[in-house]
Amino acid sequence: MATTTSNATGTVTEKRKPVFKKVDSLKPGTTGHTLTVKVVSLKTVKVGNKGPARSSAMLMARPTQPTRIAECLVGDETGTILFTARNEQVDIMTPGTTVILRNAKIDMFKGTMRLAVDKWGRVEVTEPADFEVKEDNNLSLVEYELVNVDN
């Protein structure tokens, strides 16, 4: 069942229902994933200032707060993957919590896959899921190499 909305011009657009994926179906370089996962562990990686030193005029115009980054091991009944949580996402990702990741993407870091949600996505806490996380299938441990094929 899709819902409909109308915009300023009066045209009606139909919203698509999200298609939930499993962790083991994720591939390098893909985007637009919606997943329900449990947070297994959290490790804070970086707490620092955003970008290089700025002039005092820029600092007064827009106050900056330190960038917080944490690597969270998340998973479902098919496997696990490292999720890179940024800023307010770090507060949501506590071990044992079940979350829905909307519009997630796969980033490559040192040849391995990392799951991330940028400003176009959403991280939502949901009711606890009834699955057991399969921790022995960690997709972030698989190393990929970019190979150029000449025709």
Side-chain angles (χ1 to χ4, degrees):
M1 172 178 143
T3 59
T4 58
T5 58
S6 60
N7 58 15
T9 60
T11 59
V12 176
T13 58
E14 198 168 309
K15 291 184 180 179
R16 295 183 303 144
K17 285 185 70 90
V19 177
F20 286 85
K21 290 194 159 194
K22 297 295 181 188
V23 171
D24 69 344
S25 68
L26 299 175
K27 302 289 182 228
T30 55
T31 60
H33 304 297
T34 302
L35 304 107
T36 301
V37 293
K38 277 187 187 177
V39 181
V40 178
S41 65
L42 175 118
K43 181 180 120 189
T44 302
V45 177
K46 177 186 171 196
V47 176
N49 291 330
K50 291 183 178 180
R54 298 185 174 126
S55 67
S56 60
M58 284 185 72
L59 289 176
M60 295 175 106
R62 184 174 42 164
T64 60
Q65 53 192 5
T67 302
R68 295 183 303 149
I69 298 177
E71 284 187 345
C72 313
L73 186 66
V74 299
D76 60 15
E77 66 271 12
T78 64
T80 58
I81 191 167
L82 281 174
F83 173 76
T84 305
R86 299 177 187 278
N87 299 326
E88 62 275 350
Q89 294 173 354
V90 175
D91 301 327
I92 297 171
M93 305 297 283
T94 55
T97 306
T98 303
V99 294
I100 296 176
L101 305 176
R102 297 188 188 275
N103 202 19
K105 63 179 182 174
I106 298 293
D107 286 334
M108 298 303 289
F109 177 73
K110 294 184 179 177
T112 61
M113 291 196 304
R114 299 281 199 270
L115 193 61
V117 174
D118 59 10
K119 66 180 180 178
W120 304 111
R122 192 175 205 172
V123 178
E124 304 170 350
V125 177
T126 186
E127 61 270 355
D130 59 348
F131 57 78
E132 196 66 36
V133 177
K134 183 178 180 181
E135 293 188 47
D136 60 345
N137 183 21
N138 188 343
L139 297 183
S140 293
L141 296 178
V142 178
E143 193 167 326
Y144 292 88
E145 185 176 342
L146 181 62
V147 178
N148 292 326
V149 179
D150 295 328
N151 287 337

